[in-house]
Amino acid sequence: MKYDYLIVGAGFAGSVMAERIAGMLNKKVLLVDKRNHIGGNAYDEFDEHGILIHKYGPHIFHTNSKKVFEYLSRFTEWRFYEHKVSAKINDKLYPIPINRITINKLYNKNFSTEKETEEFYNSVKEKRHPISNSEDIIVNKIGHDLYEKFFKHYTKKQWNLYPDELSPAVCGRIPIRTNDDSRYFTDKYQFMPKEGYTKMFEKILAHKNIYIQLNTDYKTMLDKIKFDKMIFTGPIDYYFDYKFGKLPYRSIRFEFEKHDMESYQETAVVNYVEKNIPFTRLTEYKKLTAQSFGGKTVISKEFAQLNGEPYYPVPNSKNKLLYGKYFREAEKTKNVYFVGRLAEYQYYNMDQVVAKCLLFFEELRDK
Ligand code: FAD
Ligand code: UDP
């Protein structure tokens, strides 16, 4: 059979593109993924204890985009969920993002207004100009001590780079608050798909024009199939056979553990921001999914590593230059389009990938 489109990768980017192209343009799509499941890194599954886990770490949906929320709402119902994270220092838990409660608890203060907290930050912050890396952006807002405690070591563990070796946007993802809002995100829409991400992907892909082939690296089948156009959502350097060298992507090893207890920790996620603990964060899944299991709970610990499945682009100026070479090569490549976190080498959240795909589809359709 001849396909109109070959789409590589069945994560958010590939699946949304497949749905739009098959449904709106009535084109035949072959969607290929090298893994044995759809959903990309957002994939979730029930483990042997019946607990819904996120195989590739905690995924919390949040967006300010009505368009993205309404689009995905066609494929899932939602459960309201506002994510909270604590940072652990010396066996004590503090709200992260840093807020008034964090400051009061850490420094034995009694601030009750935003103004007092702001004045505190003003008294400890160190002016940095220009803001050229992730150390600058934090120290410029809250000074060295809070930076050391909450950002420096977590960042080194996550990226094997110190914050001064990463773009400001990395640590800049985490706001600094003067109020006592302990939510991780403040977006307008914060929900979890009611029956999980994989069920939502099944609905996105349930179309007669979408053919799915799993367990297949697209390169192994290129000479066996015919198609007009390709949408590529995997790592862009792999597409071009690493011709300019390897782009660094950060990977993670997840260690899952089952514990015979009702609750393992206070919040769904605890960030281990201290240097001497080898993992970054610890997630307790039933706190994300609101499942109740008498006396049982499942957690995962994240150990960041260089090798393995690519999960994160590594945003800094050196990698941006290298990505630029691949980007220019991609622009010259006829009838192949590169979209998604790995293909665009962008530290996108799920909603940003969906937003990008909806826009990109409109361009494609109008061509
Ligand atoms: P992916 O999901 O990576 O999909 C790419 C797919 O391409 C993969 O399935 C891969 O197997 C396939 N592929 C690659 N190469 C080939 C090949 N050669 N042949 C065939 N198939 C191939 N976002 C949020 O909004 N909220 C969160 O809480 C959140 N938490 C996260 C936690 C972790 C640990 C990670 C890693 C990411 C998190 N994200 C979160 C980001 C989110 O996972 C991404 O934004 C989103 O999954 C990107 O979708 P994608 O389709 O671009 O990429
Ligand atoms: N970060 C940190 N300490 C924290 C939380 C975040 O140093 O307690 C830094 C770290 O570099 C991390 C980045 O901020 O990689 C972005 O954090 P986020 O929680 O958004 O990471 P993600 O969920 O994408 O892994």
Side-chain angles (χ1 to χ4, degrees):
M1 179 160 31
K2 180 165 180 271
Y3 301 95
D4 298 299
Y5 281 84
L6 168 66
I7 300 186
V8 179
F12 266 100
S15 300
V16 170
M17 290 313 297
E19 186 279 331
R20 294 282 79 191
I21 290 167
M24 303 295 287
L25 304 181
N26 197 27
K27 302 275 190 199
K28 277 198 169 51
V29 173
L30 176 61
L31 180 64
V32 179
D33 203 296
K34 66 184 172 67
R35 297 179 181 172
N36 64 359
H37 58 73
I38 57 173
N41 286 338
Y43 173 76
D44 55 13
E45 65 183 9
F46 290 94
D47 75 351
E48 74 261 35
H49 315 292
I51 299 182
L52 187 61
I53 56 154
H54 295 181
K55 189 168 176 192
Y56 307 99
H59 277 72
I60 296 96
F61 181 77
H62 58 100
T63 191
N64 282 316
S65 164
K66 185 164 187 256
K67 185 174 169 183
V68 167
F69 181 66
E70 284 179 350
Y71 171 76
L72 290 177
S73 299
R74 294 170 42 200
F75 310 105
T76 187
E77 287 179 43
W78 302 98
R79 186 175 56 76
F80 180 68
Y81 172 74
E82 285 183 326
H83 192 47
K84 290 198 175 150
V85 179
S86 323
K88 197 169 198 172
I89 301 174
N90 284 334
D91 282 330
K92 288 207 178 101
L93 295 174
Y94 301 90
I96 179 99
I98 294 171
N99 64 14
R100 192 164 67 222
I101 303 168
T102 317
I103 300 300
N104 281 340
K105 189 166 173 185
L106 190 66
Y107 296 118
N108 243 328
K109 301 281 183 195
N110 215 353
F111 300 145
S112 55
T113 62
E114 294 206 36
K115 191 158 175 281
E116 285 170 296
T117 320
E118 195 182 328
E119 280 168 2
F120 174 79
Y121 292 144
N122 286 339
S123 73
V124 291
K125 73 184 185 189
E126 295 168 24
K127 182 112 187 102
R128 295 276 172 106
H129 185 75
I131 303 291
S132 31
N133 58 54
S134 266
E135 180 182 309
D136 291 340
I137 197 168
I138 299 299
V139 170
N140 187 61
K141 288 184 202 162
I142 54 172
H144 216 80
D145 192 48
L146 288 164
Y147 161 78
E148 281 263 344
K149 288 191 163 76
F150 289 90
F151 289 93
K152 185 173 170 185
H153 307 295
Y154 185 98
T155 298
K156 172 72 165 115
K157 288 192 281 184
Q158 170 73 7
W159 303 95
N160 197 29
L161 294 171
Y162 283 108
D164 65 356
E165 301 168 286
L166 288 160
S167 297
V170 176
C171 289
R173 285 165 64 89
I174 312 301
I176 305 295
R177 303 206 176 113
T178 48
N179 59 19
D180 57 5
D181 187 347
S182 292
R183 297 170 304 161
Y184 207 60
F185 309 110
T186 49
D187 300 52
K188 187 162 172 198
Y189 306 97
Q190 305 192 38
F191 294 96
M192 297 295 274
K194 206 168 184 177
E195 292 181 74
Y197 289 96
T198 304
K199 276 272 174 291
M200 178 175 79
F201 276 95
E202 282 168 9
K203 291 208 173 108
I204 293 175
L205 296 173
H207 193 285
K208 65 177 183 4
N209 290 344
I210 300 176
Y211 300 80
I212 299 174
Q213 184 159 339
L214 298 174
N215 301 305
T216 308
D217 185 320
Y218 82 105
K219 282 191 185 176
T220 64
M221 62 178 322
L222 283 177
D223 55 347
K224 300 183 194 96
I225 50 163
K226 289 199 175 71
F227 58 91
D228 285 336
K229 293 181 176 167
M230 186 196 297
I231 292 174
F232 183 77
T233 78
I236 188 167
D237 57 344
Y238 177 75
Y239 178 90
F240 290 110
D241 300 319
Y242 309 111
K243 66 194 278 187
F244 302 119
K246 270 195 154 192
L247 267 171
Y249 290 92
R250 202 75 182 134
S251 190
I252 298 176
R253 178 170 59 82
F254 297 94
E255 265 184 23
F256 284 87
E257 295 169 10
K258 191 204 105 189
H259 290 268
D260 290 322
M261 51 174 68
E262 189 51 40
S263 169
Y264 188 88
Q265 60 190 21
E266 269 172 41
T267 45
V269 168
V270 174
N271 286 355
Y272 283 72
V273 294
E274 289 171 308
K275 189 179 176 179
N276 58 336
I277 308 284
F279 54 88
T280 51
R281 61 186 165 195
L282 194 153
T283 302
E284 182 172 15
Y285 285 92
K286 70 188 203 183
K287 298 221 161 76
L288 291 180
T289 57
Q291 282 184 291
S292 84
F293 277 89
K296 263 189 283 173
T297 195
V298 170
I299 61 155
S300 73
K301 295 174 182 164
E302 296 179 34
F303 299 82
Q305 58 185 25
L306 174 66
N307 296 316
E309 279 287 292
Y311 293 141
Y312 291 82
V314 182
N316 64 22
S317 40
K318 183 167 160 241
N319 300 339
K320 197 174 167 193
L321 274 180
L322 179 54
Y323 167 67
K325 293 188 185 170
Y326 284 111
F327 176 75
R328 285 186 288 282
E329 204 66 7
E331 281 198 314
K332 285 190 270 174
T333 311
K334 289 247 170 328
N335 293 326
V336 183
Y337 307 100
F338 295 80
V339 45
R341 175 150 148 147
L342 305 173
E344 294 179 67
Y345 206 66
Q346 293 288 331
Y347 193 171
Y348 284 145
N349 293 326
M350 297 182 280
D351 65 315
Q352 294 172 303
V353 172
V354 176
K356 187 75 206 272
C357 289
L358 295 179
L359 259 182
F360 174 57
F361 171 74
E362 285 164 20
E363 281 170 31
L364 202 66
R365 181 195 58 197
D366 298 342
K367 256 187 197 160

